[in-house]
Amino acid sequence: MFAQGMNQWSNAAFALLPFLASVALKAEDVEPVNVGSRLEPFFDGSLIAELKGAALRLHPPTPREVVFTFDAPWEGAMSGYVTVLHDGKRFRLYYRGGGDLGREYSCLAFSDDGVHWTRPKLGLIEYRGSKENNIFWTGKEKAYFESHNFCPFLDTNPAAPPDQRWKAVTSAKVPDTGGDRPKILMAFVSPDGVHWKRLRDEPIITDGAFDSQNTACWDAVNRQYVCFLRKAQKGMRSVARSLSKDFVSWSKPELLDFGDTPPEQFYTNAMQPYLRAPHLYIGLPMRFVPPAVRNWVGLERRKTDGLSDAVFMSSRDGLHWNRAFLEAFIRPGLDPSMWGGAHGNSTPALGVVQTGPEELSIYWSEHYGNYPEGTIIPRLRRGTLRPEGFVSVNAGYAGGEFTTRPLVFTGRRLTMNFSTSAVGGVRVEIQDATGRPLPGYTLAEATEIWGDELDRVVTWKTGHDLGRLAGQPVRLRFVMKDADVFALRFVD
């Protein structure tokens, strides 16, 4: 009941986001949020009761190097639908290849750092008379599409059998039904993420349109499997969610709720629990713009079946999604070839991985569709952010502040992920649930904190010990100048 109320408030907050800077929620209308000692990024406005001179700010990734080029004979122009993950020892890159034999292939590459990738010789699938390749699966024939969007994950469900430690979903065409579009979703399992087999010959989900990168995961917080899949909404490509306790029986797919936002075409979803705060979901859908809606006057008319960029969104239950940011998270950029060819450019891979103590990496496709035709090879680019660096609460040089909803916590110290300029700073006041400053933790007693850190301990003249406040509702008031606050956490 509480979670449902929180999500309803959050959706309404984002519909009214431009007005939040001057309108505070009444204290009697705000339920406390039990944050315990978990990490709380400011991906949405769910923890914020009031903003004054501050606002949520989206931080696009910093583009880095091209880390992979799809130039093997069994890959080519339509290689894509990438999944990147870390298995506890090394990074893995799963993707679709499509060679010159009219078939599609599911392929695997490895990396020790998320930057330099190698194709292992798996010896599993024959291509041109040789098994010295990194192909681990291909369907019976192209029409079955079992390699069209093979999307795996490492199953952390403690009840998962050892031979099903890895799971995947992939679309398939119903045999002998005509047409070339996948009509069903199949389940696969593996003990090692390399050697795969069908969980069963029957599909797990049949209600949807599956010619996209359908994704699945184990939701450890709610102890259930979640599948995000392609389904039409208001006549446009969109996303639905299905749930399962055993990965065999699934609920009827339910369209996601994006709040009161303009309908847009989401060709992929890239939705999964955020690796550092799994009670939050993030999504990086590729947004598709049909060429018919663009004005080519004064521009070179390029051969294209659509333009694309990527957006950022988040959710606290996987069904109701906050779209505070309608602008692009990843833009096509200066490269002219990103504005032509097939629509798959700027398509984020599924997976946000940590590639260093201060670095998250995401990946996206470039030159998908080989534009100009036959001259450019598709590739995968890496981008980086600081941990929790997708969104911050930002205040400029003139200053600003925000106050949280009442929070109930465990621990003895408050830490924050923040960044300031040389002249900027952040001070934190602790209030009771009604908004009255608590002695010892008032703004006048707060230490001004400046710098750029991921887990800085907040202090006051009396020190940093908050143990006597644990378990009771408190509000946090952040007073800022030329600063960004990305996340908070209470720790021992």
Side-chain angles (χ1 to χ4, degrees), residues 151-153 168-169 214-218 226-228 247 250 271-272 350:
C151 190
F153 68 97
V169 294
N214 311 286
T215 67
C217 64
W218 168 250
V226 182
C227 180
F228 296 104
F247 212 67
W250 291 81
M271 293 172 172
Q272 63 180 179
L350 173 66

Side-chain angles (χ1 to χ4, degrees), residues 433-448:
T434 65
R436 292 179 299 183
L438 294 174
Y441 306 101
T442 65
L443 192 65
E445 297 169 294
T447 303
E448 184 178 37

Side-chain angles (χ1 to χ4, degrees), residues 217-473:
C217 64
W218 168 250
D219 183 332
V221 175
N222 296 298
R223 302 190 61 79
Q224 62 189 358
Y225 294 101
V226 182
C227 180
F228 296 104
L229 55 104
R230 163 80 67 79
K231 192 172 175 65
Q233 182 166 201
K234 298 180 181 179
M236 308 181 81
R237 297 173 179 89
S238 193
V239 188
R241 183 191 72 165
S242 183
L243 305 176
S244 174
K245 292 295 185 181
D246 58 7
F247 212 67
V248 176
S249 300
W250 291 81
S251 65
K252 180 179 176 59
E254 183 177 5
L255 286 167
L256 302 186
D257 179 2
F258 298 117
D260 186 19
T261 58
E264 294 187 299
Q265 303 243 26
F266 297 138
Y267 206 94
T268 59
N269 66 74
M271 293 172 172
Q272 63 180 179
Y274 177 57
L275 76 165
R276 292 169 53 86
H279 65 288
L280 294 173
Y281 280 87
I282 61 171
L284 299 175
M286 184 268 271
R287 176 168 56 185
F288 175 67
V289 181
V293 307
R294 307 308 293 160
N295 183 353
W296 292 96
V297 176
L299 300 173
E300 173 195 358
R301 182 174 291 279
R302 297 168 183 157
K303 181 180 179 181
T304 179
D305 63 356
L307 307 179
S308 54
D309 58 19
V311 297
F312 172 84
M313 59 181 65
S314 63
S315 174
R316 289 182 176 263
D317 65 0
L319 182 62
H320 304 89
W321 288 79
N322 293 315
R323 295 212 57 205
F325 308 101
L326 299 180
E327 61 266 35
F329 182 62
I330 301 173
R331 293 183 177 182
L334 288 170
D335 185 350
S337 62
M338 294 292 287
W339 296 91
H343 52 263
N345 286 322
S346 305
T347 301
L350 173 66
V352 176
V353 292
Q354 187 152 359
T355 47
E358 300 176 354
E359 178 184 87
L360 300 181
S361 289
I362 64 173
Y363 305 80
W364 61 88
S365 296
E366 296 184 338
H367 300 165
Y368 181 85
N370 214 358
Y371 172 84
E373 191 170 350
T375 63
I376 298 180
I377 300 172
R379 64 194 189 186
L380 191 70
R381 184 174 295 279
R382 185 175 76 106
T384 59
L385 307 101
R386 66 191 291 138
E388 292 73 72
F390 296 90
V391 178
S392 70
V393 184
N394 170 265
Y397 183 85
E401 63 179 82
F402 72 98
T403 304
T404 68
R405 302 176 67 183
L407 308 177
V408 178
F409 69 90
T410 59
R412 306 186 68 86
R413 295 176 295 163
L414 170 64
T415 67
M416 65 177 176
N417 180 339
F418 79 108
S419 174
T420 77
S421 70
V423 299
V426 181
R427 290 181 294 159
V428 182
E429 177 179 87
I430 302 183
Q431 308 172 348
D432 66 16
T434 65
R436 292 179 299 183
L438 294 174
Y441 306 101
T442 65
L443 192 65
E445 297 169 294
T447 303
E448 184 178 37
I449 297 173
W450 47 266
D452 198 329
E453 299 182 42
L454 299 179
D455 54 0
R456 175 68 174 268
V457 176
V458 179
T459 60
W460 296 263
K461 290 181 180 179
T462 55
H464 61 256
D465 193 342
L466 306 178
R468 67 182 181 87
L469 303 179
Q472 59 181 289

